[in-house]
Amino acid sequence: MQGWLLDIHPLSRDEVAVWIKRRNGRIEVEKIKWMPRIYVAGPFDKLVQLSKILSSRYELEFTEKDIHIGGSLETVLEVKVPFGERKKLAREILDIGNYRFYSVFNVDLPSIQEFLYYYNLYPTAYIDYSNNSFKILDNVEDLHYDTSWIKIAYLDVKISSSNLLPSLQDKLTEISLKLQDEEIVLDSSEESILEELSRILDSLDVDVIITECGDSFLIPYLYYRSKVNNIKLRLSRLDHKPRLETVSKSYFSYGRVYHKFKGLKFRGRIHIDSFNSMLYQETGIDGIIEISRVCRIPIQDASRYTIGSCMSSLQYYEAYKLGILLPWSPHRENYMSGRQLNIADRGGLILDVKPRIYWNVGEIDFKSLYPMLMYKYNISGETINCECCRDGGVKIPEVGYHICRRWRGIVPRAIELPLKKRLQYKKLLREASTPHLRQVYSRRTDALKWILVTAFGYLGFRKAKFGSREAHLSVCALARDTLIKAIKIVEESGFKVVHGLVDSLWIVKEDAVDDDYIKLVEIIEDRLKLPVSYEGRYRWIIFLKSKINPFKPVNNRYFGALFNGTLKYRGIEARRRDAPLIVKKMQLKMLEKLSRADTLRELKEKALECLELYREYVKMIVLGEASIEDLIIVRSLSRHTREYVNRVLHATAARKLESLGFMIEPGQSVKYVVTGGRWINATLPQLCRMGEYSVREYLKMLERAAKTILEPIIGGKKISSIALKIIG
């Protein structure tokens, strides 16, 4: 039987269901006997004793595996464990050995991922299943794989509710399903709607259902209403009753608190909650499928995983192929003196820019610099300061570490495929002939970028199984060295460096044209043997100063207009998540006006026109004409509402939601509108009517945003006076 691999999930304690969609559109499910494995290492006599204890309950086998990467194989005990019992058995084994004699491995390797590794499969692969074995008929390296066979439906509901937010007790009035250009609306009685939904999903042969807040509310709501109406609702292709309660957690990552709901997954049909999937929000369904294929993770899991978990799967797969076991809790102790830490822990190289307007500036970026260095120099946790190459390893500048020459590290092995594919997708993106292809290649490129960025971050993560602090510091040292070498090449070629930021350089040369910058890029690539991209040439670019210290720059805050007609801006209000839409609209219109200027005189003239634009937005606020949608501010909670000591607006809005019976956890976003007169307040958008907002606060936001754009060109005094004149 041939077809595309759609879904994989456990069916029982020792059985896996594999859903295959054939070319004729028919869905088949194969039930395969298989169980996850854990491995136990220890003295051989102790392993024999353990095997006698476990043999009556589990299927056992002695085998040879690699425990210490690059070392000799060791005899370990392989235990086949029913689904859901891995950690329980691992703790039992450690307890039997008094936590001294045994070490356990592969305990936290997700079971279905192990199944994919075991058979060398990946979701959406075109496969042949016969004689209890799989044959892959396409290739994970393919760039033009077919996804047209996947039928996607967007599911939404309308609920009759007298409350601010709907609840499980509110009655269902309508369900809509959107498939490509078609929309089906079910709007009869609640009982009939629920009965019809299952039938339509089957008749349309839907493979993927995309919801908004499906994990946190919509799917539990539909099953609850079916229970109330005594209707058998089936959203999966297989009879399966999901839990009705929602499960969630808050976690801290890269300086922010996030909140995530546990997935409500279907069987034989894919459910993606767009609100609960960072990957979907950033890259859409195309990015999720690309990550699912490359990282060998079921689609429903890939949509809900953190990027770090997806990237880790790549490393686990490489280790699995090599017979390397994954420690349950990696222990790597390292100690550094204050002097060593001061030398090594310096991050990326930044060259401060003088805040002002620059003309005819070219921007060049190293393509995926940090992952490229990891790949080129073989940087992985186990390759840094290895014993075998103490005297002959590759030396890291500044820090004095060395890299193994004998063993190809797990991390560079893992990032090879996403690095290769991302560069190829970027080439296809430039050559794409249709908007649809450009969108697909762009989303796949962005998805792989997230994987590569995280691969570097995880090198220094304490729980990473193939990372180390020294590996992380080595990449930073190599990146600094690379940028310094690039700067020397730039200056030798007669250009001047305006600004340098980790892996990017802004350079200028009087009367230089695009060809001059492109030739320079070719020289840098040839000398450093690393891929470099020419991002374009700016008509003008403005680097912004610090609001606290006007003599210092904020190196990642700038905006400019390129000769190809595009705008580029970073760190300003138009890029901020918590800026209201009215502020973003004003800034983008200002930038659009300014982009037409070719000289300083024209730039100042356009800036004066922007003052009129600013005046229009001020009038809109003062006269109460701004829509509620344009005023909404979205911010995330970093802690529980009771833990906020100061009176902050998003915490006030969250408390209002809690007073209405809704639980708000750290990491969740709150939408609010600023209201009040002398004392400002936060009101939920649903409770706010046209004109009911704090004029003073929104004028402040507009003024700050206008000054960001116009102050470097014409100063800030004129901006400040406009609002006062209109109010007066």
Side-chain angles (χ1 to χ4, degrees), residues 118 151 156 178 316 365 392 412 418 458 483 494 622:
Y118 183 85
K151 291 189 177 180
D156 198 8
K178 293 181 181 178
Y316 297 168
D365 291 351
Y458 256 56
L483 206 64
V622 172

Side-chain angles (χ1 to χ4, degrees), residues 544 547 557 559 571-574 576 578-580 583 586-587 590 614 618 633 635 649 672 674 680 696-712 716 719-720 723:
L544 299 172
K547 294 178 181 179
R557 291 189 75 221
F559 57 89
I572 65 175
E573 286 82 356
R576 289 180 60 93
D578 59 353
V583 168
M586 184 191 71
Q587 272 198 340
M590 286 181 172
Y614 169 56
V618 168
I633 298 172
R635 292 199 64 183
L649 295 178
Y672 64 92
V674 182
I680 63 169
R696 182 165 59 92
E697 289 303 311
Y698 282 101
L699 287 180
K700 284 182 181 178
M701 296 180 205
L702 286 178
E703 183 180 347
R704 283 196 296 266
K707 282 186 175 180
T708 297
I709 303 298
L710 303 180
E711 193 171 36
I719 301 167
S720 301

Side-chain angles (χ1 to χ4, degrees), residues 590 593-594 601-613 709-710 713-714:
M590 286 181 172
K593 277 184 178 292
L594 295 174
R601 181 178 176 179
E602 289 179 8
L603 193 62
K604 289 183 177 181
E605 289 173 354
K606 295 296 180 184
L608 292 174
E609 292 178 19
C610 289
L611 282 179
E612 294 303 314
L613 184 65
I709 303 298
L710 303 180
I713 306 172
I714 58 173

Side-chain angles (χ1 to χ4, degrees), residues 377-386 389 402-405 407-412 468 471:
Y377 288 96
N378 190 31
I379 295 180
S380 190
E382 74 278 11
T383 62
I384 297 293
N385 294 336
C386 64
C389 302
H402 69 269
I403 309 170
C404 187
R405 290 182 182 272
W407 167 261
R408 185 66 175 162
I410 295 294
V411 172
S468 71

Side-chain angles (χ1 to χ4, degrees), residues 441-488:
Y441 295 144
S442 175
R443 287 175 169 179
R444 292 178 184 176
T445 300
D446 289 344
L448 294 175
K449 178 182 178 180
W450 281 106
I451 290 293
L452 295 170
V453 168
T454 309
F456 164 68
Y458 256 56
L459 272 180
F461 181 41
R462 62 185 177 85
K463 293 184 180 180
K465 300 186 190 298
F466 301 104
S468 71
R469 178 183 292 179
E470 288 87 349
H472 184 88
L473 298 177
S474 295
V475 179
C476 292
L478 286 167
R480 294 193 298 271
D481 183 65
T482 299
L483 206 64
I484 289 171
K485 289 177 179 176
I487 291 168
K488 289 180 179 178

